[in-house]
Amino acid sequence: MDKLSSIRLEDLPVIIKFILHSITAVDALEVISELREKLDLQHCVLPSRLQASQVKLKSKGRASSSGNQESSGQSCIILLFDVIKSAIRYEKTISEAWIKAIENTASVSEHKVFDLVMLFIIYSTNTQTKKYIERVLRNKIRSGCIQEQLLQSTFSVHYLVLKDMCSSILSLAQSLLHSLDQSIISFGSLLYKYAFKFFDTYCQQEVVGALVTHICSGNEAEVDTALDVLLELVVLNPSAMMMNAVFVKGILDYLDNISPQQIRKLFYVLSTLAFSKQNEASSHIQVRAVFPPQPPEYLGLQVPATSPGPIF
């Protein structure tokens, strides 16, 4: 443990495996707490999304070498977390000690990216600890210890590790959106947002499907939050949202369950998707309105004499 900070990244998996297999019920919390302090993986390897903002390399050879080093580093990180997953799956003592170590951390500045990754891993690995982790997360969110910047950094640095836990992360987000506390609801919405931003197309589809389920639930707070997330996603990645437009269209069958203001948000999303530049080649969600034979006044509509377009 004393030499842990000087060990090469490629040697960490086997060292961590040895440490975790040597833990006993008596010293579990002490060892995990020290391991958590010394094992800071946030700066071990920079993913390509962050590397682009660094100083540009002058030669292609150096750029290729840097890419190989990054790939190797990411492989070591993935292997390391696989070792940890295996340990907590078969040793209840380790998972409980890890949660307790994070729970005992009181200062905002002491919370790390590594902590959030571990909470997600344990949540997805040990079903018996889900309620415990949800309680710890809710308390941390209420106290302001876990904020958006930390969550964003977690997804940015370890998206390759987290993408394999997509379904568990979405399940956690769904549970948090059922809360009555606005700060917890907001955190749940951020989980959906960053899962869509950093994960693959399959998970993006799952995110949109989960948001549609919230909107169709009839719960006002869930509907508002889910619609706000859809609005963000349309702006964030309109081309990816276009691939899931059919799910958003499905909400039209449940308009009786949402308010007029919420319907306006929904139609803003649909209009943005239908008439965005990315949709020039595919207009299957565009709505073509046909003027009735009667004048607009017959329908109680106040329309200028030179109305330029369709009436919705």
Side-chain angles (χ1 to χ4, degrees):
M1 292 293 288
D2 290 339
K3 298 177 184 291
L4 194 62
S5 58
S6 62
I7 294 174
R8 295 183 306 169
L9 181 60
E10 55 266 32
D11 295 328
L12 268 180
V14 69
I15 299 298
I16 297 302
K17 183 176 182 179
F18 170 77
I19 293 173
L20 294 179
H21 284 201
S22 304
I23 285 179
T24 65
V26 177
D27 62 10
L29 180 58
E30 180 183 356
V31 174
I32 293 298
S33 297
E34 188 176 354
L35 188 62
R36 177 191 160 275
E37 288 292 329
K38 294 188 175 182
L39 197 60
D40 187 2
L41 303 176
Q42 184 171 355
H43 305 294
C44 286
V45 59
L46 290 176
S48 55
R49 287 180 175 83
L50 298 181
Q51 195 175 33
S53 64
Q54 306 301 311
V55 178
K56 293 183 178 179
L57 299 175
K58 295 181 180 180
S59 66
K60 292 183 179 179
R62 288 176 62 191
S64 177
S65 174
S66 176
N68 292 335
Q69 290 176 1
E70 178 192 355
S71 177
S72 176
Q74 286 285 16
S75 297
C76 292
I77 295 293
I78 293 172
L79 181 58
L80 173 60
F81 279 115
D82 284 341
V83 167
I84 296 175
K85 284 181 191 177
S86 178
I88 63 177
R89 180 179 287 112
Y90 299 109
E91 292 292 339
K92 183 180 178 182
T93 302
I94 296 177
S95 61
E96 290 179 345
W98 219 305
I99 301 172
K100 195 68 178 177
I102 297 173
E103 188 178 20
N104 291 343
T105 304
S107 172
V108 176
S109 59
E110 291 178 353
H111 288 80
K112 303 177 179 182
V113 163
F114 189 39
D115 294 334
L116 264 182
V117 177
M118 285 308 306
L119 288 177
F120 292 149
I121 287 177
I122 300 172
Y123 187 87
S124 66
T125 304
N126 287 353
T127 56
Q128 298 88 348
T129 60
K130 283 189 173 183
K131 293 298 182 182
Y132 185 14
I133 291 176
E134 287 181 14
R135 184 170 69 251
V136 171
L137 262 177
R138 290 170 190 266
N139 292 336
K140 294 291 184 181
I141 294 167
R142 288 193 191 98
S143 62
C145 291
I146 297 180
Q147 301 176 356
E148 180 177 359
Q149 183 57 52
L150 182 64
L151 182 63
Q152 183 178 8
S153 298
T154 303
F155 276 86
S156 297
V157 176
H158 294 302
Y159 64 94
L160 289 176
V161 175
L162 297 179
K163 71 176 184 178
D164 292 332
M165 299 177 281
C166 176
S167 59
S168 294
I169 290 174
L170 297 188
S171 175
L172 176 61
Q174 182 181 35
S175 177
L176 295 181
L177 248 67
H178 292 156
S179 173
L180 300 178
D181 190 312
Q182 187 56 48
S183 63
I184 296 173
I185 294 174
S186 297
F187 190 88
S189 70
L190 290 173
L191 285 177
Y192 282 126
K193 175 183 173 181
Y194 291 125
F196 189 91
K197 179 178 179 180
F198 288 100
F199 295 162
D200 57 20
T201 54
Y202 172 78
C203 191
Q204 289 175 343
Q205 179 178 310
E206 293 295 304
V207 170
V208 175
L211 292 172
V212 169
T213 300
H214 284 298
I215 294 170
C216 298
S217 69
N219 183 295
E220 187 173 355
E222 286 185 48
V223 174
D224 280 330
T225 302
L227 282 170
D228 288 341
V229 175
L230 280 182
L231 284 170
E232 283 194 72
L233 297 183
V234 167
V235 175
L236 178 70
N237 196 338
S239 59
M241 278 298 295
M242 270 305 308
M243 299 174 63
N244 299 283
V246 65
F247 297 106
V248 182
K249 271 185 65 178
I251 305 173
L252 294 174
D253 295 330
Y254 298 88
L255 293 184
D256 291 343
N257 297 331
I258 57 180
S259 69
Q261 183 61 33
Q262 292 165 342
I263 292 175
R264 291 188 186 97
K265 289 183 181 181
L266 172 61
F267 272 88
Y268 183 86
V269 172
L270 290 171
S271 301
T272 303
L273 290 174
F275 299 101
S276 64
K277 292 181 179 179
Q278 288 83 359
N279 193 40
E280 291 177 353
S282 174
S283 57
H284 64 280
I285 70 167
Q286 288 189 10
V287 180
R288 298 185 180 275
V290 179
F291 286 105
Q294 299 86 358
E297 292 80 5
Y298 179 81
L299 301 177
L301 300 175
Q302 300 297 323
V303 182
T306 56
S307 177
I311 303 170
F312 292 94

